[in-house]
Amino acid sequence: MKKKITLLLILTILLTGCGKDHNTIECIKADKQSSNTMILTLGENDEVTKVETIMDAYTGTQYQDRDYNKQKEVYKVFNEVKGMNSSVEKLGIDSLRVRINLIYNDLDIDEAKDKLEGLISDESYIIKKGINFEDFSKTYLNGYACKK
């Protein structure tokens, strides 16, 4: 009997996602040449706590290697900022994927502004720590389709 209760308790915890205190929202914007996906993690009061941005772009087979090398060079600086990381990868023979992960609680805003100068503006979501989903959506998700 004790084993059944323990097993039932473990199963309940796994199925209900114990410890999950946030919502995840996926937003997508696509056209024939590219797609952008933003996966937002929300904390208390719908504050955006994490942003994962995935950008897929068609390059054509003749430009994939050239564009891959350029993008790797551009996005490597994001890995030097506390609370951020990025990667660039080839998709098939004619496309690229750029991924940027941002954790606002770990982000050093001053370091981001300094190291990413020229790559981001003062209006970039990257430096908008403490923004709630509604404001984030109005400002940065125009044209995106979002779902929980």
Side-chain angles (χ1 to χ4, degrees):
M1 181 68 169
K2 204 173 197 180
K3 285 182 182 180
K4 283 184 180 180
I5 292 173
T6 304
L7 184 58
L8 184 60
L9 181 60
I10 291 170
L11 187 58
T12 302
I13 290 170
L14 290 174
L15 291 175
T16 59
C18 181
K20 226 179 185 182
D21 60 349
H22 58 266
N23 294 313
T24 302
I25 299 173
E26 183 174 336
C27 303
I28 300 171
K29 182 179 186 178
D31 60 33
K32 291 180 182 178
Q33 297 292 317
S34 66
S35 72
N36 291 329
T37 303
M38 295 183 92
I39 301 169
L40 309 171
T41 302
L42 307 181
E44 223 174 276
N45 300 318
D46 281 342
E47 180 181 328
V48 178
T49 59
K50 297 178 187 176
V51 179
E52 179 180 9
T53 304
I54 304 165
M55 299 168 281
D56 294 340
Y58 173 78
T59 61
T61 54
Q62 69 274 28
Y63 299 114
Q64 187 186 42
D65 287 334
R66 178 198 69 183
D67 291 349
Y68 172 78
N69 291 328
K70 283 183 180 180
Q71 296 302 315
K72 290 273 293 182
E73 190 63 30
V74 167
Y75 285 99
K76 75 178 183 181
V77 70
F78 285 76
N79 294 318
E80 298 171 10
V81 177
K82 185 176 185 279
M84 296 187 75
N85 65 59
S86 69
S87 64
V88 179
E89 62 188 275
K90 294 179 182 179
L91 295 178
I93 61 169
D94 61 2
S95 299
L96 296 178
R97 171 171 287 165
V98 175
R99 185 182 306 261
I100 300 171
N101 292 300
L102 167 65
I103 301 172
Y104 281 115
N105 290 339
D106 296 340
L107 183 65
D108 182 326
I109 298 287
D110 293 328
E111 181 183 34
K113 286 180 179 179
D114 181 51
K115 290 191 175 176
L116 302 176
E117 185 176 6
L119 294 175
I120 63 169
S121 72
D122 287 339
E123 298 305 313
S124 173
Y125 72 86
I126 291 173
I127 56 174
K128 297 297 181 188
K129 194 174 191 175
I131 190 169
N132 67 33
F133 176 72
E134 185 178 341
D135 292 338
F136 190 99
S137 178
K138 287 178 188 175
T139 307
Y140 304 108
L141 297 176
N142 189 22
Y144 282 77
C146 297
K147 66 178 180 176
K148 282 191 176 192

